Amino acid sequence: MSTYTITDGTPGAEPSKLEKIKGSVIAFGIKAAKFLLLAIFLLAELFSVPKLSDTHATQSDIRQEMDELIQSGYSRELEFDLDTDLDLYNTMMTIVRTMKYGDFRLEGSKAQEFWKAYAPAKSDTTLEYIQFDSDEQRVLLRYSNGIAADVTMEFDTNYLYKATTLRYGVFNGSILRWLYWNLIGRFVRGYPCYVTEANLAGNSLRGDVSLRKYTIRNQVFSWSFNPGKRNQIENVSEHWA
């Protein structure tokens, strides 16, 4: 009796030349896509700068939007707090009024030690830096509220400015969402920035506070080298222009 051997592409069969070429092309395509994503990310990091634009939203719409965000769990730093923010203003202005040696700036751990001592109501935040200008009697500071928001405040004897920028794109366990934001979202949608401005009389407000909303988008490939994100938008007020 004759014996016949039938081959039908079983796992042990040698792949054809066409299959080898196809596999190589696929592997190369995957590597090229990874390299392209990495290159875009690095170029965007090194050669993009923040671009700010006014949304021209009405104050009532901004107020409603801020309230909804706070109710849904976003940072309460969005709103101007008459107690903690005015108390911070009064404390810092008392310090700058008694200074006699020009500018004074604290950063890092020294800034945080100062923050804990002089701003206990902000104990759940981290002070990045604070700068005093005794000649102008002006204070500029920047602090972060966890991973939720960055806050910039600047004030002098008759004016207070507070800008809260919500952080998006922070890694929270979703790699796809993180990739989307860092590669696309921050250039298209941008970060919302809510600005409160108020005139002051002594240690209290003079009139109503004003609200504005801006969007901060990274401008793609501006070819302006921006190492370490130092080119930050501190404020958009025309008060000191």
Side-chain angles (χ1 to χ4, degrees):
M1 177 180 293
S2 300
T3 303
Y4 297 94
T5 302
I6 302 174
T7 59
D8 57 357
T10 57
E14 182 72 17
S16 67
K17 187 175 182 179
L18 181 61
E19 289 173 332
K20 289 181 179 179
I21 294 174
K22 183 180 178 181
S24 298
V25 170
I26 292 174
F28 175 79
I30 293 174
K31 290 180 180 179
K34 290 180 179 179
F35 176 79
L36 183 61
L37 285 175
L38 179 61
I40 291 174
F41 181 79
L42 290 176
L43 286 172
E45 284 293 299
L46 296 175
F47 298 102
S48 67
V49 293
K51 183 179 181 181
L52 186 141
S53 57
D54 193 339
T55 63
H56 299 291
T58 65
Q59 294 201 57
S60 59
D61 287 344
I62 296 171
R63 178 72 265 174
Q64 181 179 349
E65 184 176 323
M66 291 167 64
D67 289 342
E68 290 174 353
L69 286 169
I70 293 171
Q71 290 172 10
S72 63
Y74 280 86
S75 173
R76 296 198 67 87
E77 290 290 348
L78 281 166
E79 63 182 353
F80 177 76
D81 190 285
L82 285 174
D83 293 324
T84 59
D85 287 334
L86 268 185
D87 183 61
L88 177 65
Y89 166 81
N90 291 328
T91 300
M92 297 303 118
M93 288 306 299
T94 298
I95 293 174
V96 78
R97 288 189 187 108
T98 60
M99 293 176 63
K100 300 179 181 179
Y101 303 104
D103 294 345
F104 180 69
R105 182 181 176 101
L106 289 173
E107 299 180 72
S109 60
K110 293 294 184 182
Q112 194 59 24
E113 290 177 12
F114 174 90
W115 199 234
K116 289 180 180 179
Y118 289 96
K122 300 283 188 181
S123 60
D124 58 340
T125 66
T126 301
L127 181 66
E128 295 181 14
Y129 64 83
I130 184 167
Q131 180 171 322
F132 296 93
D133 185 336
S134 61
D135 292 335
E136 298 290 335
Q137 293 196 351
R138 194 161 97 199
V139 180
L140 168 66
L141 58 90
R142 185 184 183 96
Y143 62 93
S144 59
N145 183 206
I147 64 172
D150 286 322
V151 182
T152 299
M153 293 185 71
E154 189 166 3
F155 35 77
D156 57 24
T157 54
N158 57 21
Y159 171 85
L160 183 147
Y161 167 100
K162 179 180 181 180
T164 303
T165 303
L166 294 184
R167 286 179 174 175
Y168 294 150
V170 178
F171 183 68
N172 59 1
S174 174
I175 186 66
L176 292 178
R177 182 174 294 179
W178 181 83
L179 281 173
Y180 164 78
W181 183 263
N182 284 281
L183 294 175
I184 300 173
R186 59 180 172 151
F187 303 103
V188 177
R189 182 181 173 189
Y191 305 88
C193 177
Y194 299 88
V195 174
T196 300
E197 293 179 276
N199 291 312
L200 301 169
N203 296 331
S204 60
L205 295 179
R206 185 175 75 237
D208 297 328
V209 299
S210 65
L211 297 175
R212 287 184 289 169
K213 179 187 175 184
Y214 293 83
T215 299
I216 303 174
R217 296 183 181 87
N218 279 58
Q219 184 175 339
V220 186
F221 306 142
S222 64
W223 307 112
S224 174
F225 189 56
N226 184 28
K229 298 300 181 188
R230 293 176 183 173
N231 188 14
Q232 295 175 333
I233 298 173
E234 294 299 344
N235 73 56
V236 295
S237 172
E238 297 179 356
H239 179 76
W240 292 285

